[in-house]
């Protein structure tokens, strides 16, 4: 297992995060190497670091950032069959009440029903 993965796994295992001054000991690496790995993971958006003080010793509380899965986008409301709304990407001077393209598209919506 690569050391970076090991560090990330240790961070994930702490329910409320893990203190940096415990992390490097548990990972069996020196503190400066731990700092470099954490800086990289933070830059990648995988962890957060908050200043913390434990028994007068300044350290950081490291937390894993859960990635929420994005729901697939639905374009159903913009489509009639496989035709997009004419307003999608339209660069015309817009007067919706006079727009023939929009009127035809709305008419298509009514037909689809
Ligand atoms: S209403 Fe007509 S002019 Fe306005 S954005 Fe839609 S298609 Fe374009």
């Amino acid at each position: 297992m690569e050391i970076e993965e090991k560090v990330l796994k240790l961070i994930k295992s702490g329910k409320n995060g893990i203190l940096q001054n415990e992390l490097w000991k548990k990972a069996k690496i020196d503190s400066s190497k731990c700092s470099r790995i954490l800086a990289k993971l933070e830059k990648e958006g995988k962890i957060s670091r908050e200043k913390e003080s434990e028994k007068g010793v300044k350290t950081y509380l490291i937390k894993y950032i859960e990635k929420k899965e994005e729901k697939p986008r639905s374009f159903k409301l913009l489509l009639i069959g496989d035709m997009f709304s004419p307003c999608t990407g339209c660069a015309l001077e817009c007067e919706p009440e006079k727009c023939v393209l929009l009127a035809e598209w709305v008419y298509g919506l009514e037909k689809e029903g």
Side-chain angles (χ1 to χ4, degrees):
M1 184 190 300
E2 245 184 76
I3 192 63
E4 196 178 303
E5 284 176 44
K6 186 179 177 181
V7 167
L8 200 55
K9 197 175 174 185
L10 284 166
I11 296 166
K12 283 182 190 174
S13 70
K15 261 190 177 179
N16 298 311
I18 186 167
L19 294 172
Q20 187 168 336
N21 63 354
E22 292 172 8
L23 179 63
W24 63 267
K25 292 172 194 161
K26 284 187 179 178
K28 294 182 173 82
I29 55 177
D30 62 60
S31 62
S32 56
K33 184 169 186 172
C34 187
S35 292
R36 282 195 301 274
I37 292 169
L38 292 175
K40 183 176 182 273
L41 292 173
E42 188 177 26
K43 196 175 174 186
E44 292 170 357
K46 293 178 179 172
I47 61 158
S48 66
R49 287 205 278 189
E50 298 163 23
K51 283 184 181 170
E52 188 78 39
S53 177
E54 190 198 38
K55 295 171 193 163
V57 178
K58 287 180 184 175
T59 185
Y60 287 93
L61 178 63
I62 316 295
K63 290 183 179 175
Y64 178 69
I65 298 174
E66 291 277 344
K67 295 272 183 222
K68 290 180 183 160
E69 280 189 34
E70 275 187 38
K71 289 183 183 172
R73 290 183 182 182
S74 171
F75 296 105
K76 199 175 172 190
L77 293 173
L78 293 172
L79 290 165
I80 297 176
D82 61 355
M83 205 174 95
F84 259 99
S85 153
C87 302
T88 309
C90 177
L92 298 172
E93 194 133 326
C94 186
E95 284 187 72
E97 60 280 353
K98 294 180 186 171
C99 180
V100 176
L101 294 170
L102 183 63
E104 286 174 353
W105 193 76
V106 170
Y107 179 70
L109 270 179
E110 286 175 359
K111 279 193 346 195
E112 200 178 62

